[in-house]
Structure formats: structure tokens, C-alpha cells
Amino acid sequence: MAMLQLKNIDVIFNWGTVNETQVFDNFNLDIEKGQFVSVVGSNGSGKTTLLNLVAGNLEPTSGEILLEGKSILNLAEYERSHFIGRVFQDPGKGTSPSMTILENMALADNKGQTFGLQRGVNRKRLDFYRSQLEQLELGLEDKLNVKVGALSGGQRQALSLLICTLTPIQLLILDEHTAALDPKTSETIMELTNKLIQEKGLTTLMVTHNLRYAVEYGNRLLMMNKGEAVIDAQDAEKDKLEINDLVQVFSEISIELGN
Amino acid sequence: MDVFIEISKGVLEQGFIYAIMALGVYISYHVLDFPDLSVDGTFPLGAAITAMLILGGVNPWLACLLAFIVGALAGLVTGLLHVKLKIRDLLSGILTMTALWSVNLSIAKTSLLSTYGAKTIFDSGIIMLLPESLASWRTLILVLILALFMKFLLDWYLTTKSGMLLRAVGDNPQLVTSLAKNPGYVKILGLAIGNGFAAFSGAILCQQQKFFDVNMGTGMIVMGLASVIIGMTVFKKLSIIKYTTMVVLGSILYKGAISLALNLGFNPNYLKLIMAVLFTLALVSNNFLDKKEGRGKVHGHVAIEEY
Ligand SMILES: Nc1ncnc2c1ncn2[C@@H]1O[C@H](COP(=O)(O)OP(=O)(O)O)[C@@H](O)[C@H]1O
Ligand SMILES: [Mg+2]
């Protein structure tokens, strides 16, 4: 059974007004367990809307969303966080800047449990946090008591990735998570992302502006246009795809759209 | 010299009592990033409840505890207005504050209620173990201990799991959502605690001054914010001391500055004006320092709007 299923999804914004926009019309998508799906597409093609639907920021006008066969539609965003991790474009969104790296790790470590009056940081977990931070290869394991607000965007984004995958999740959502970083840092974070996904075998839905990342990483590629997948290539078929193929489809679409 | 000691003692007594309220404001304003005006109502609420309870012969310590709890319930109302009814933060506080005016009057049944003759924490129980020679220092010693106790209690709480979640929600509500917790509930909890502190502070002031005045809450939020901001501005460079300590010291500095102004011969009618000027000075110097260090409150991330 697929890990994530979107069934007959309709999304209409500002329904019944002059600004009515239909983003999805009977949209369907199945993502298998362990699949790493990259999503590309022009502006306004519905990528963010897709992620918002899955994460719980947006209710579809109609349709069904299933995670491991169970409907998640009536779960709020924070409830879906039990199963879904998300890294945002803004590196500030995944961590608490006024708290130290250690405190951020301790918070993440406690996800899914009660947040009561127990001591917030468990010293016995220190070695585990260090070993996790070592994987990032950014030296953060030696900066446990540094406030996250003092870290660079790339370091914060790496930490965000670690934090949202520290406890088991069924689906990882990456929301153009390298777009706010400089090219070199972006590259580092993308490699790190791939490493974490492979190690933990995470089912992943990644929206990216970077066609090369979409081609190089993951085992499935979707190209969205006007709420439809104009390209959906998996495994061998995806391996054959090159950036040029994507650029070509892109420009055809652009011409069609009149730009 | 005696006059000076008397004045300083008065400043310290007031400073420590109001410091507890300021710690409450610290929770809402600084930890939660929520400008909570309910404090103007919950401070006198604590006093009104205490007045009625101690006049009725209830143990004055129990009265303080109950004041804390009722204050927390009022904070809960502000939180529910904001989170459940989606009313803006400032307006939620104003609504609670306004409603509490009537609540406080109906609890005390009069706008000015003397508690003269009722047992208080300052003239009964444990404080009486102090030797007679220290009698005139009883109040100061007790409020010092109370302010420090509340400060350490808050310090401890903020290092617990629940307290860390509270810090996270003011910093970045999305993180709390990602931790599978409802940020709204966490905010409500924080507002309850902050207003519990304010009501507790009102309860102590009521016992110290031996009366409840329905107007005693007016300007509390300004005083609380001023204490928070003055303390953090003045002691910013001393990174070894905790924010909560800065808030307590800020409250004393604030009371000291007001007392100084009055003793220099300023007309007491200008008290509120002096308060506002002090507050403005603190705010401006705070902004100035932030600019010099090239950073604002740690909230400033690269905000990238979708759509
Ligand atoms: N909250 C909203 N209200 C109205 N229209 C929206 C809203 N969100 C998205 N849209 C519209 O839906 C379409 C798809 O947007 P989006 O999913 O953000 O595209 P992408 O992320 O691929 O650029 C766009 O036409 C956009 O204007
Ligand atoms: Mg988008």
C-alpha cells in the first residue's frame, strides 16, 4: 500500500468570487514507501499548495488524503506532525533561535511525549546528541551551548533537518529548503539531506526550484503545471531524464502560457 | 541619613513586590512575545481576592496562593479569547482587563477596602520568628525572599520540558507545531502563569499596604514593561546574569527613579508622565543598543512570504 495517497483532490481558492482560482481539479498522487519524490514546476503550478494539503495547512475543497491507508484530513497540522516532518525554505522556522543547540535537540528528542515538569535537558542523552550532530559534519557537536540564533543559515537548516528526523516519521516534506541559502551551502545541505534520507529510509516529498537537484537526487520526479503532473518519471525512467529534457518541457509550457 | 535609609527601604520594598508582577510581564512580553494588557486587571484581582479572604480570617499565605490561581484563570480567559476566538493579542488583554474591573468591584463590593486588623504574612506566622530588633525590616526581608523565590521558581520552570516549550512558542510557534503540540495551548498556559504572577504580586501589595483599591492596577503593564526593558537594557552587557534577575533589578531601578524624581520635588500629579518618559527612555536606549550591536530581538529571521 502506498505511504501517501491523494485522491480526487479539488482545491478552489476564493470560491464563488471574481478571484476564484482552481488549483487542483481531480488531482491524484500515490507515493510509495521509501520513495524520494522531487517536485518541480513553474510559479503558480501548485507545488506549495500540494505541500500545504499534505502538511495540514490547507483543506482541500474535496477529495481524500491518506497516510498508510488512514485518512489524515481531520487532523490538524500539529497532530499530523506526529507522522510528518517538514523543513521550510526559511531556515529560522525549524529551530528556536534563543535556545541553545542542546536545548533544541532536547525538545526534538521529546517529540511525541508529554512536556511536563521533568528536567528539559537530559544529560544522559548528551552523547547521543553529539553523535547525531557529528553526522552533519559542521562541528556543531562542539557548540552544544551556543544559541541557534548565532548560527548561519546553512547550519540552522542542517539542524532543522536533524531535528525533524530525530524521532521516527513516516513522511518528510522539504519545502524549497535550500532556496534561501547561498549556492555552496545549498549544495552541502542537499547532500546532507540525501544522506539522511538514505540512512533513515525516509519517504520524502521535496519541492525544489533547482532542476539539477531534481534530476540528481531522488528516485521519482514530478513536474507540475496548472495543478497537473506533466512529467512523472520513476526509477529507470527517471535516471534517463536530464536537465535539458526538463528545460525543454519548461519552455514549451512557458510559450503556452505566453511568456 | 535616616531619611535616606527610609526612602531606600521603601524603594526596595516596593521594588521587590512589583518585581513579581514584572516577572509575569516578562513571561508574556518576552518569553511568549505577547503584549498582555490583562495584567492591569489581574494585579488588582489578586488584591481583591486577598482582601476578602484575609478579612474572612483565611490564612494569609493561602490567600496568596488562591490569588495566584484565580489570576491564572483570568490569564486563561485572555488566552482563550486570543486562541479560540481569534481575537488579536492586544484586544484580548483589553477585554479581560475591562471585564476584571467589574469583577474586582464585585469581589471587594467597594472601590476602596481597608483590611486593617486582618492577619497578613507581614505580621503573623513565620516572619514573627525574626528577632524583635529586626522588626522594622520584616517587610523588606519577606518581600526580598518572596521575589527571589518566585524568580527561582520561574527559572526552574523555564528549564523544564513544559517551560522549554513555552520559550519555543514565543520564539517560533512553527517549531511547537512541528513538535506535535498545539502552540495555542502553550500560549494559553503561558498567559495563565504570567497573570498568576501578577495576581500574586497584587496579593502581597494588598497585605503590605493593608487596603485594596480598585484603581491599583492602572498602569501596571507600563510599570511591568518598563521594569523588564530597563533591567534588560541596563544589565545587557552582563551576560552572566539571568534575564529574570535583570527584571527584578529593573523593577527596583524603576521604583528608585520614580522615588528620586518625587524627592527632587516633581509634582506627584506628573507621576504618570514621569513613568511614560522613563519608559520611553528605556525603549529608545534599548533600540539604540540593538542597532549598535546589529541585531533586534532574536526574532528577525529572513522572512520569505509565500504567495
Ligand atoms: N491562499 C491562497 N489564496 C488564493 N490563491 C492562492 C492561495 N494560495 C495559492 N493560490 C494560487 O494557487 C496557485 C498555485 O499556487 P502555489 O501552490 O503557491 O504555486 P507554486 O508553489 O507552485 O508556485 C497560484 O495561482 C496562486 O496564486
Ligand atoms: Mg511555491
Side-chain angles (χ1 to χ4, degrees):
Chain A
M1 182 202 307
M3 179 60 95
L4 178 73
Q5 289 172 285
L6 285 90
K7 287 187 168 170
N8 312 323
I9 297 286
D10 286 355
V11 173
I12 304 171
F13 287 113
N14 305 316
W15 194 74
T17 74
V18 282
N19 294 323
E20 184 173 311
T21 337
Q22 174 138 21
V23 181
F24 288 117
D25 182 7
N26 198 20
F27 180 75
N28 288 280
L29 178 68
D30 279 15
I31 296 179
E32 298 302 321
K33 193 171 177 189
Q35 238 170 16
F36 176 178
V37 186
S38 308
V39 183
V40 293
S42 50
N43 274 335
S45 58
K47 305 181 297 291
T48 300
T49 305
L50 171 65
L51 296 190
N52 285 340
L53 280 172
V54 178
N57 307 89
L58 178 70
E59 250 187 84
T61 312
S62 67
E64 185 56 280
I65 303 178
L66 307 170
L67 192 69
E68 290 205 303
K70 286 195 281 284
S71 172
I72 55 170
L73 265 192
N74 52 7
L75 298 181
E77 184 189 359
Y78 78 91
E79 292 169 309
R80 294 190 203 180
S81 296
H82 281 294
F83 327 106
I84 299 175
R86 184 172 188 180
V87 181
F88 296 85
Q89 182 172 1
D90 175 359
K93 276 200 174 174
T95 49
S96 172
S98 77
M99 289 199 228
T100 63
I101 295 181
L102 177 59
E103 287 171 324
N104 273 276
M105 292 293 285
L107 275 177
D109 199 13
N110 202 56
K111 180 177 157 187
Q113 289 160 266
T114 55
F115 284 81
L117 294 178
Q118 318 91 316
R119 186 190 287 268
V121 176
N122 181 355
R123 298 259 144 202
K124 286 188 193 125
R125 299 286 286 167
L126 237 58
D127 285 337
F128 170 68
Y129 299 154
R130 282 211 187 85
S131 69
Q132 290 290 310
L133 287 162
E134 270 167 20
Q135 295 180 24
L136 306 180
E137 296 175 16
L138 293 170
L140 295 185
E141 62 278 8
D142 300 323
K143 296 188 179 167
L144 282 179
N145 293 314
V146 171
K147 287 194 175 157
V148 170
L151 302 181
S152 69
Q155 287 172 324
R156 271 200 244 180
Q157 204 61 320
L159 192 59
S160 305
L161 265 170
L162 190 57
I163 279 178
C164 93
T165 56
L166 197 65
T167 47
I169 46 172
Q170 276 146 311
L171 179 71
L172 176 63
I173 292 180
L174 303 170
D175 202 347
E176 297 194 28
H177 72 305
T178 68
L181 308 171
D182 65 75
K184 192 164 170 290
T185 313
S186 170
E187 205 73 34
T188 316
I189 295 297
M190 194 54 236
E191 274 164 30
L192 183 67
T193 306
N194 192 43
K195 189 176 120 183
L196 281 174
I197 290 172
Q198 302 309 329
E199 263 169 28
K200 306 196 180 197
L202 293 169
T203 311
T204 305
L205 186 57
M206 171 176 86
V207 167
T208 177
H209 257 130
N210 190 319
L211 296 183
R212 190 166 56 78
Y213 291 168
V215 170
E216 273 176 30
Y217 297 98
N219 46 18
R220 182 169 172 193
L221 188 150
L222 289 184
M223 184 185 276
M224 302 289 294
N225 181 44
K226 292 186 194 161
E228 281 178 50
V230 286
I231 297 181
D232 181 358
Q234 301 188 24
D235 306 319
E237 191 190 344
K238 191 215 160 218
D239 292 341
K240 276 186 269 162
L241 271 182
E242 287 179 21
I243 297 184
N244 277 341
D245 306 326
L246 298 185
V247 173
Q248 202 169 346
V249 180
F250 238 131
S251 42
E252 278 164 22
I253 291 168
S254 298
I255 292 164
E256 187 187 322
L257 289 173
N259 345 320
Chain B
M1 197 60 206
D2 279 355
V3 181
F4 178 72
I5 292 181
E6 274 313 304
I7 293 175
S8 311
K9 203 167 91 180
V11 165
L12 289 173
E13 285 173 5
Q14 297 279 306
F16 284 124
I17 294 174
Y18 286 106
I20 297 172
M21 180 273 299
L23 286 170
V25 172
Y26 166 79
I27 299 172
S28 53
Y29 172 74
H30 193 265
V31 178
L32 288 180
D33 201 16
F34 188 113
D36 177 23
L37 300 191
S38 344
V39 177
D40 274 27
T42 45
F43 184 83
L45 173 65
I49 286 169
T50 303
M52 292 315 284
L53 288 173
I54 59 174
L55 280 172
V58 172
N59 178 304
W61 288 104
L62 182 62
C64 290
L65 184 68
L66 291 172
F68 185 101
I69 293 170
V70 176
L73 290 175
L76 188 94
V77 172
T78 304
L80 287 172
L81 287 173
H82 176 60
V83 172
K84 288 290 170 198
L85 302 185
K86 314 248 181 278
I87 297 170
R88 284 219 208 154
D89 46 12
L90 272 173
L91 268 178
S92 306
I94 290 175
L95 287 174
T96 305
M97 176 184 88
T98 308
L100 282 177
W101 178 275
S102 303
V103 172
N104 293 342
L105 268 179
S106 70
I107 292 174
K109 300 196 183 61
T110 157
S111 57
L112 197 64
L113 177 64
S114 167
T115 62
Y116 206 81
K119 271 195 187 151
T120 73
I121 55 173
F122 297 102
D123 57 25
S124 69
I126 188 139
I127 196 67
M128 301 314 281
L129 298 176
L130 277 180
E132 196 55 40
S133 56
L134 288 176
S136 69
W137 296 92
R138 263 181 211 146
T139 303
L140 181 54
I141 292 170
L142 191 55
V143 295
L144 166 75
I145 293 172
L146 279 170
L148 289 183
F149 175 76
M150 295 306 276
K151 181 203 110 70
F152 286 119
L153 189 67
L154 181 56
D155 286 344
W156 164 79
Y157 173 68
L158 290 176
T159 63
T160 64
K161 289 183 176 178
S162 170
M164 273 169 54
L165 210 55
L166 204 67
R167 286 155 66 199
V169 87
D171 235 13
N172 177 9
Q174 182 65 51
L175 176 63
V176 176
T177 305
S178 300
L179 292 169
K181 289 282 158 191
N182 187 336
Y185 293 163
V186 181
K187 270 193 194 163
I188 293 174
L189 176 68
L191 289 169
I193 297 173
N195 283 291
F197 271 68
F200 189 77
S201 173
I204 292 166
L205 184 69
C206 172
Q207 298 197 27
Q208 189 255 351
Q209 67 183 19
K210 295 188 187 300
F211 65 87
F212 157 81
D213 173 0
V214 75
N215 291 312
M216 68 195 281
T218 312
M220 268 320 105
I221 184 66
V222 175
M223 190 187 296
L225 280 176
S227 304
V228 170
I229 291 166
I230 291 173
M232 290 194 166
T233 311
V234 173
F235 301 103
K236 193 170 227 165
K237 295 279 176 239
L238 290 175
S239 53
I240 33 160
I241 71 173
K242 286 207 157 75
Y243 284 152
T244 49
T245 312
M246 297 184 192
V247 171
V248 174
L249 295 175
S251 168
I252 290 165
L253 280 182
Y254 178 81
K255 282 289 167 191
I258 297 274
S259 162
L260 185 70
L262 291 178
N263 282 294
L264 285 177
F266 277 92
N267 184 335
N269 286 344
Y270 294 146
L271 192 62
K272 297 273 179 208
L273 182 63
I274 300 171
M275 279 169 78
V277 170
L278 269 177
F279 189 27
T280 310
L281 282 177
L283 278 173
V284 171
S285 60
N286 195 40
N287 288 345
F288 178 69
L289 281 179
D290 276 347
K291 276 214 194 78
K292 241 175 40 180
E293 290 172 10
R295 63 179 190 96
K297 216 182 149 212
V298 264
H299 288 270
H301 321 299
V302 255
I304 298 151
E305 281 289 324
E306 286 275 31
Y307 318 134

